[in-house]
Amino acid sequence: MYDWSNPASPPGGNAPKLPPGRHEVRIARVMHENKEGNPFATRDDDPAMCVIFEDAQGREAMEFVATVDDSEKSWALRAMFQAFNPPANLEKMAAAGVTPSRFANHDFAEKQLVNRRLVVDVTHNTARNGKTYINLAYLPSGTPVNAAPKQAAGAGARAEPHIEEDIPF
C-alpha cells in the first residue's frame, strides 16, 4: 500500500541549510528536473541543472547552473570547475571536446560532479517576500576554511563519503 503520509518533499529537501561563512563542501547530487518531471531551465529558457552541495554536517545549499555552450551563460559551471579541490583538469576537458552542454546529460553530470570538493563562501539574502535565499561564491582551489571545533564522534558527525578516484576530469 502506498504511504500518502510521507513528507511531500524530495529526499534531502528538509536538510538544514548552510549558514553564512566559508564551508568545505562536496557535490552531493545533481538534478535536471523538478518534482513534476519538467526539465530545469534558466530565465532565458536555456537548459539548466540544480547542483546540491553538502558539508560534513549534512547542511545543504543548491545552485542552478546553465548547461549551454555560451560562455556568458555558463560562467557558474566554469567557476565551479576552477574551484574544485583537487582541481579539475580543464585542459583535458577541452582536448576531449567537453563543453557545458554535455552536463545536460544527467549520467555524465553525476559522474563528473558528484563527490567533487570545493570551498564556498555562503551569504544569505532576504527577499521582499520574506524568503531567505542562499548565495554561493566559489573560492579558488586550496582556499583555507576557518577552523571550526571538531565534533566528537557519535555526536551527529557524518561519515566522510567515498570519493571516486576515477573521475576523468
Side-chain angles (χ1 to χ4, degrees):
M1 172 179 274
Y2 185 78
D3 184 3
W4 287 97
S5 65
N6 275 338
S9 63
N14 294 324
K17 303 302 176 209
L18 281 173
R22 281 187 185 175
H23 303 275
E24 181 179 7
V25 296
R26 73 176 184 94
I27 297 175
R29 60 192 178 283
V30 295
M31 299 185 319
H32 288 81
E33 336 180 299
N34 64 20
K35 291 184 270 189
E36 291 80 31
N38 299 317
F40 290 128
T42 67
R43 287 185 186 119
D44 295 333
D45 210 28
D46 292 316
M49 69 177 164
C50 177
V51 180
I52 294 95
F53 302 91
E54 178 184 67
D55 72 0
Q57 289 79 41
R59 300 173 298 188
E60 294 182 345
M62 68 178 183
E63 181 154 57
F64 288 91
V65 296
T67 55
V68 61
D69 296 341
D70 178 333
S71 62
E72 295 295 315
K73 296 178 178 183
S74 60
W75 63 269
L77 185 61
R78 194 169 55 252
M80 186 187 315
F81 267 90
Q82 293 170 359
F84 285 159
N85 189 11
N89 188 334
L90 301 176
E91 294 80 21
K92 186 176 177 183
M93 287 175 62
V98 175
T99 63
S101 63
R102 287 280 306 273
F103 291 88
N105 176 292
H106 182 76
D107 293 336
F108 181 82
E110 270 195 341
K111 183 172 183 171
Q112 300 303 321
L113 299 175
V114 171
N115 288 324
R116 296 301 298 257
R117 295 188 176 283
L118 62 157
V119 175
V120 295
D121 188 46
V122 175
T123 56
H124 288 190
N125 292 332
T126 303
R128 282 181 246 171
N129 64 7
K131 283 188 169 183
T132 299
Y133 294 93
I134 292 179
N135 293 315
L136 299 176
Y138 306 118
L139 301 178
S141 181
T143 300
V145 178
N146 297 335
K150 296 218 177 214
Q151 218 173 357
R158 293 174 56 113
E160 285 295 312
H162 171 71
I163 296 176
E164 294 293 327
E165 297 296 332
D166 63 344
I167 296 174
F169 305 109

